Amino acid sequence: MSAQIIDGKAIAATIRGEIKAEVDAMQTRYSQVPGLATVLVGERKDSQTYVRMKKKACAEVGIASFSHDLPADISQADLLKVVQDLNAHPEVNGILVQLPLPDHINEEEILSAISLTKDVDGFHPINIGRLSMKRRAPLFVPCTPKGCIELLDRSGVEIEGRRAVVLGRSNIVGLPVAMLLLHRNATLTICHSRTQNLPQIVREADILIAAVGRPEMVKGDWIKPGAVVIDVGMNAVDDPAAAKGYRLVGDVAFDEAREVASAITPVPGGVGPMTIAMLLRNTLDGAKRTLE
Ligand code: NDP
């Protein structure tokens, strides 16, 4: 039996439609729209692409965006000043500092300087700390992890009481998604590069979240029959037949896994579109909190 494909692109489009309706209502009621500030340091092509996609998505739902494209050699003090000015800016409800920052910048200090009420990426240590504690709701939850849970919810997947396995423990994906699953009462195992007997542990998962950044590492025979698979991985692999000379694959061997799983996200078109939809959602929620 072939798995149900969890169509992240379609689900994200639905969410963007919901957000647009709420932004329009805010505009009518308060003559105001949410605002997102993007802070891009340097000229990394991938970072420029991500920021461009985020600004385009804002425009499509009526969220205002404020761009700050800064030179790669900006000082720590000057970057801090940009963040502080945005904290005080009344039309900015969310501040997104595109990572990674150059090596000479202390990333933790910059992320900690973002106002808690504008931390739409959810990376402020206090928001992450609250996410990790019982009965302490963070103001914002990181976008990719939040998108994974939204995909499960909107696909009707029960989380409570199920065995969940998360592959990866990074600050931006693995750890926060694990915390979210725990809050939803899954029984949780977190795996990483030193985990022994990985296939055996993965085989216990009713819900598998793969976020390791290793192309097609998870094989079909690692998957428990009927499991739900959320593949966060985005890996470029050489493909001379593709127009760009490469194609994107996930951390899961999709063709094998879909024959065993009950539901699975594709790459691309699974988790990726949800990340941006959740950023828009967080920005709108921040604006609503300020207005209400
Ligand atoms: P990181 O490199 O920060 O973390 C990778 C994690 O995987 C680490 O915890 C690492 O373990 C673990 N790991 C690495 N190799 C193995 C292995 N062989 N077996 C078991 N665990 C392993 O990556 P990110 O969390 O930032 O990203 C993960 C993937 O998700 C990437 O492909 C990235 O492109 C993608 N991504 C997709 C997004 C989207 O919007 N769709 C957004 C963000 C990321 P250890 O801690 O021991 O080193």
Side-chain angles (χ1 to χ4, degrees), residues 179-220:
M179 293 304 117
L180 289 172
L181 289 163
L182 203 54
H183 285 304
R184 295 288 296 271
N185 298 321
T187 299
L188 178 71
T189 306
I190 305 174
C191 302
H192 46 77
S193 64
R194 320 289 162 82
T195 299
Q196 312 257 315
N197 302 325
L198 196 59
Q200 195 181 318
I201 297 170
V202 171
R203 245 174 246 127
E204 292 173 2
D206 300 312
I207 297 170
L208 174 67
I209 314 268
V212 284
R214 300 270 180 270
E216 302 180 325
M217 183 184 88
V218 178
K219 306 301 175 201

Side-chain angles (χ1 to χ4, degrees), residues 55-175:
K55 287 195 294 199
K56 182 165 172 271
C58 280
E60 281 166 8
V61 298
I63 292 178
S65 53
F66 302 84
S67 306
H68 293 264
D69 295 349
L70 306 168
D73 62 354
I74 188 170
S75 69
Q76 181 82 13
D78 287 348
L79 185 53
L80 265 180
K81 176 82 172 56
V82 170
V83 170
Q84 284 155 357
D85 289 348
L86 291 171
N87 283 341
H89 193 313
E91 288 168 48
V92 169
N93 303 108
I95 302 171
L96 178 137
V97 176
Q98 185 65 41
L99 301 178
L101 291 168
D103 288 344
H104 71 280
I105 297 287
N106 178 339
E107 179 183 299
E108 192 180 354
E109 190 186 15
I110 299 297
L111 295 182
S112 305
I114 296 174
S115 162
L116 268 187
T117 59
K118 299 189 179 188
D119 176 37
V120 284
D121 252 344
F123 295 152
H124 190 293
I126 292 183
N127 273 328
I128 291 286
R130 285 183 179 164
L131 182 66
S132 310
M133 295 167 82
K134 217 174 164 183
R135 288 190 286 275
R136 300 277 197 286
L139 285 178
F140 297 101
V141 170
C143 301
T144 302
K146 184 171 172 160
C148 293
I149 302 296
E150 193 78 30
L151 284 175
L152 293 172
D153 284 343
R154 292 197 183 228
S155 306
V157 176
E158 182 78 39
I159 300 176
E160 178 155 333
R162 314 281 300 277
R163 290 296 304 262
V165 172
V166 175
L167 302 184
R169 56 175 167 181
S170 72
N171 289 337
I172 62 168
V173 190
L175 200 68

Side-chain angles (χ1 to χ4, degrees), residues 231-235 248-251 254 265-271:
D231 189 354
V232 184
M234 281 209 296
N235 311 289
L248 282 182
V249 300
D251 290 340
F254 181 81
T265 57
V267 178
V271 176

